[in-house]
mmCIF file of all heavy atoms in Angstrom:
data_model
loop_
_atom_site.group_PDB
_atom_site.id
_atom_site.type_symbol
_atom_site.label_atom_id
_atom_site.label_comp_id
_atom_site.label_asym_id
_atom_site.label_seq_id
_atom_site.Cartn_x
_atom_site.Cartn_y
_atom_site.Cartn_z
ATOM 1 N N CYS A 87 -7.586 3.111 12.521
ATOM 2 C CA CYS A 87 -7.586 4.256 13.428
ATOM 3 C C CYS A 87 -8.224 3.849 14.756
ATOM 4 O O CYS A 87 -9.119 3.015 14.793
ATOM 5 C CB CYS A 87 -8.366 5.414 12.825
ATOM 6 S SG CYS A 87 -7.636 6.040 11.310
ATOM 7 N N THR A 88 -7.739 4.451 15.823
ATOM 8 C CA THR A 88 -8.245 4.185 17.156
ATOM 9 C C THR A 88 -8.967 5.428 17.650
ATOM 10 O O THR A 88 -8.432 6.528 17.542
ATOM 11 C CB THR A 88 -7.083 3.813 18.102
ATOM 12 O OG1 THR A 88 -6.394 2.693 17.540
ATOM 13 C CG2 THR A 88 -7.563 3.452 19.477
ATOM 14 N N SER A 89 -10.151 5.249 18.198
ATOM 15 C CA SER A 89 -10.954 6.396 18.616
ATOM 16 C C SER A 89 -10.609 6.910 20.007
ATOM 17 O O SER A 89 -11.171 7.897 20.459
ATOM 18 C CB SER A 89 -12.448 6.041 18.545
ATOM 19 O OG SER A 89 -12.741 4.973 19.408
ATOM 20 N N GLY A 90 -9.701 6.268 20.692
ATOM 21 C CA GLY A 90 -9.304 6.717 22.028
ATOM 22 C C GLY A 90 -7.955 6.153 22.397
ATOM 23 O O GLY A 90 -7.207 5.672 21.548
ATOM 24 N N CYS A 91 -7.645 6.211 23.670
ATOM 25 C CA CYS A 91 -6.386 5.653 24.171
ATOM 26 C C CYS A 91 -6.408 4.134 24.060
ATOM 27 O O CYS A 91 -7.453 3.518 24.063
ATOM 28 C CB CYS A 91 -6.211 5.993 25.644
ATOM 29 S SG CYS A 91 -5.808 7.687 25.995
ATOM 30 N N PHE A 92 -5.236 3.559 23.958
ATOM 31 C CA PHE A 92 -5.129 2.114 24.125
ATOM 32 C C PHE A 92 -3.983 1.842 25.081
ATOM 33 O O PHE A 92 -3.105 2.672 25.280
ATOM 34 C CB PHE A 92 -4.967 1.370 22.790
ATOM 35 C CG PHE A 92 -3.614 1.447 22.178
ATOM 36 C CD1 PHE A 92 -2.631 0.526 22.491
ATOM 37 C CD2 PHE A 92 -3.308 2.448 21.267
ATOM 38 C CE1 PHE A 92 -1.374 0.601 21.921
ATOM 39 C CE2 PHE A 92 -2.055 2.523 20.691
ATOM 40 C CZ PHE A 92 -1.084 1.603 21.020
ATOM 41 N N ALA A 93 -4.019 0.684 25.702
ATOM 42 C CA ALA A 93 -3.008 0.315 26.687
ATOM 43 C C ALA A 93 -2.278 -0.942 26.228
ATOM 44 O O ALA A 93 -2.864 -1.815 25.590
ATOM 45 C CB ALA A 93 -3.654 0.082 28.043
ATOM 46 N N TYR A 94 -1.006 -1.009 26.573
ATOM 47 C CA TYR A 94 -0.158 -2.136 26.209
ATOM 48 C C TYR A 94 0.728 -2.429 27.408
ATOM 49 O O TYR A 94 1.406 -1.534 27.916
ATOM 50 C CB TYR A 94 0.684 -1.745 24.986
ATOM 51 C CG TYR A 94 1.420 -2.887 24.340
ATOM 52 C CD1 TYR A 94 0.861 -3.588 23.281
ATOM 53 C CD2 TYR A 94 2.684 -3.265 24.773
ATOM 54 C CE1 TYR A 94 1.543 -4.632 22.666
ATOM 55 C CE2 TYR A 94 3.370 -4.301 24.168
ATOM 56 C CZ TYR A 94 2.796 -4.981 23.125
ATOM 57 O OH TYR A 94 3.463 -6.018 22.525
ATOM 58 N N SER A 95 0.716 -3.661 27.886
ATOM 59 C CA SER A 95 1.509 -4.026 29.060
ATOM 60 C C SER A 95 2.959 -4.283 28.676
ATOM 61 O O SER A 95 3.236 -5.110 27.808
ATOM 62 C CB SER A 95 0.935 -5.277 29.736
ATOM 63 O OG SER A 95 -0.329 -4.995 30.258
ATOM 64 N N LEU A 96 3.845 -3.573 29.326
ATOM 65 C CA LEU A 96 5.285 -3.747 29.107
ATOM 66 C C LEU A 96 5.875 -4.435 30.328
ATOM 67 O O LEU A 96 5.666 -3.998 31.461
ATOM 68 C CB LEU A 96 5.967 -2.391 28.914
ATOM 69 C CG LEU A 96 5.420 -1.455 27.847
ATOM 70 C CD1 LEU A 96 6.210 -0.158 27.838
ATOM 71 C CD2 LEU A 96 5.459 -2.112 26.487
ATOM 72 N N LYS A 97 6.603 -5.513 30.086
ATOM 73 C CA LYS A 97 7.322 -6.184 31.157
ATOM 74 C C LYS A 97 8.551 -6.846 30.567
ATOM 75 O O LYS A 97 8.592 -7.139 29.362
ATOM 76 C CB LYS A 97 6.442 -7.182 31.899
ATOM 77 C CG LYS A 97 5.820 -8.224 31.023
ATOM 78 C CD LYS A 97 4.830 -9.066 31.805
ATOM 79 C CE LYS A 97 4.086 -9.945 30.840
ATOM 80 N NZ LYS A 97 3.000 -10.653 31.438
ATOM 81 N N GLN A 98 9.533 -7.028 31.386
ATOM 82 C CA GLN A 98 10.799 -7.622 30.971
ATOM 83 C C GLN A 98 11.339 -6.907 29.728
ATOM 84 O O GLN A 98 11.431 -5.693 29.713
ATOM 85 C CB GLN A 98 10.625 -9.121 30.762
ATOM 86 C CG GLN A 98 10.172 -9.835 32.008
ATOM 87 C CD GLN A 98 9.858 -11.279 31.781
ATOM 88 O OE1 GLN A 98 9.617 -11.721 30.660
ATOM 89 N NE2 GLN A 98 9.848 -12.052 32.849
ATOM 90 N N GLN A 99 11.713 -7.668 28.715
ATOM 91 C CA GLN A 99 12.220 -7.079 27.479
ATOM 92 C C GLN A 99 11.274 -7.395 26.340
ATOM 93 O O GLN A 99 10.670 -8.460 26.309
ATOM 94 C CB GLN A 99 13.609 -7.627 27.150
ATOM 95 C CG GLN A 99 14.668 -7.241 28.150
ATOM 96 C CD GLN A 99 16.014 -7.838 27.787
ATOM 97 O OE1 GLN A 99 16.104 -8.883 27.166
ATOM 98 N NE2 GLN A 99 17.067 -7.143 28.183
ATOM 99 N N GLY A 100 11.170 -6.475 25.403
ATOM 100 C CA GLY A 100 10.326 -6.708 24.247
ATOM 101 C C GLY A 100 10.498 -5.602 23.223
ATOM 102 O O GLY A 100 11.236 -4.638 23.449
ATOM 103 N N HIS A 101 9.800 -5.753 22.124
ATOM 104 C CA HIS A 101 9.886 -4.744 21.075
ATOM 105 C C HIS A 101 8.658 -4.823 20.172
ATOM 106 O O HIS A 101 7.989 -5.854 20.099
ATOM 107 C CB HIS A 101 11.164 -4.911 20.251
ATOM 108 C CG HIS A 101 11.226 -6.232 19.547
ATOM 109 N ND1 HIS A 101 11.697 -7.363 20.159
ATOM 110 C CD2 HIS A 101 10.840 -6.610 18.311
ATOM 111 C CE1 HIS A 101 11.617 -8.384 19.315
ATOM 112 N NE2 HIS A 101 11.090 -7.959 18.184
ATOM 113 N N VAL A 102 8.386 -3.719 19.524
ATOM 114 C CA VAL A 102 7.317 -3.600 18.546
ATOM 115 C C VAL A 102 7.888 -2.808 17.379
ATOM 116 O O VAL A 102 8.632 -1.835 17.582
ATOM 117 C CB VAL A 102 6.095 -2.856 19.123
ATOM 118 C CG1 VAL A 102 5.010 -2.689 18.084
ATOM 119 C CG2 VAL A 102 5.558 -3.554 20.341
ATOM 120 N N ILE A 103 7.555 -3.208 16.174
ATOM 121 C CA ILE A 103 7.962 -2.447 14.991
ATOM 122 C C ILE A 103 6.722 -2.265 14.127
ATOM 123 O O ILE A 103 5.860 -3.147 14.079
ATOM 124 C CB ILE A 103 9.105 -3.132 14.210
ATOM 125 C CG1 ILE A 103 9.597 -2.216 13.091
ATOM 126 C CG2 ILE A 103 8.684 -4.491 13.697
ATOM 127 C CD1 ILE A 103 10.911 -2.643 12.480
ATOM 128 N N GLY A 104 6.626 -1.108 13.513
ATOM 129 C CA GLY A 104 5.444 -0.848 12.704
ATOM 130 C C GLY A 104 5.725 0.079 11.544
ATOM 131 O O GLY A 104 6.765 0.739 11.490
ATOM 132 N N ILE A 105 4.773 0.113 10.647
ATOM 133 C CA ILE A 105 4.806 1.047 9.523
ATOM 134 C C ILE A 105 3.540 1.881 9.613
ATOM 135 O O ILE A 105 2.436 1.334 9.632
ATOM 136 C CB ILE A 105 4.833 0.307 8.172
ATOM 137 C CG1 ILE A 105 6.088 -0.548 8.052
ATOM 138 C CG2 ILE A 105 4.737 1.302 7.013
ATOM 139 C CD1 ILE A 105 6.104 -1.455 6.828
ATOM 140 N N ARG A 106 3.710 3.188 9.719
ATOM 141 C CA ARG A 106 2.553 4.079 9.673
ATOM 142 C C ARG A 106 2.342 4.486 8.225
ATOM 143 O O ARG A 106 3.250 4.979 7.571
ATOM 144 C CB ARG A 106 2.741 5.325 10.513
ATOM 145 C CG ARG A 106 1.470 6.215 10.425
ATOM 146 C CD ARG A 106 1.655 7.605 10.938
ATOM 147 N NE ARG A 106 1.855 7.608 12.366
ATOM 148 C CZ ARG A 106 2.162 8.704 13.047
ATOM 149 N NH1 ARG A 106 2.297 9.866 12.429
ATOM 150 N NH2 ARG A 106 2.336 8.654 14.344
ATOM 151 N N PHE A 107 1.120 4.254 7.756
ATOM 152 C CA PHE A 107 0.780 4.573 6.374
ATOM 153 C C PHE A 107 0.132 5.946 6.270
ATOM 154 O O PHE A 107 -0.551 6.392 7.190
ATOM 155 C CB PHE A 107 -0.175 3.522 5.811
ATOM 156 C CG PHE A 107 0.437 2.159 5.696
ATOM 157 C CD1 PHE A 107 0.180 1.186 6.640
ATOM 158 C CD2 PHE A 107 1.283 1.855 4.641
ATOM 159 C CE1 PHE A 107 0.740 -0.076 6.539
ATOM 160 C CE2 PHE A 107 1.850 0.599 4.531
ATOM 161 C CZ PHE A 107 1.581 -0.371 5.480
#
Side-chain angles (χ1 to χ4, degrees):
C87 297
T88 304
S89 61
C91 287
F92 76 88
Y94 191 93
S95 294
L96 306 179
K97 56 187 171 188
Q98 300 174 340
Q99 295 179 331
H101 62 275
V102 178
I103 187 166
I105 298 172
R106 180 194 292 174
F107 295 101

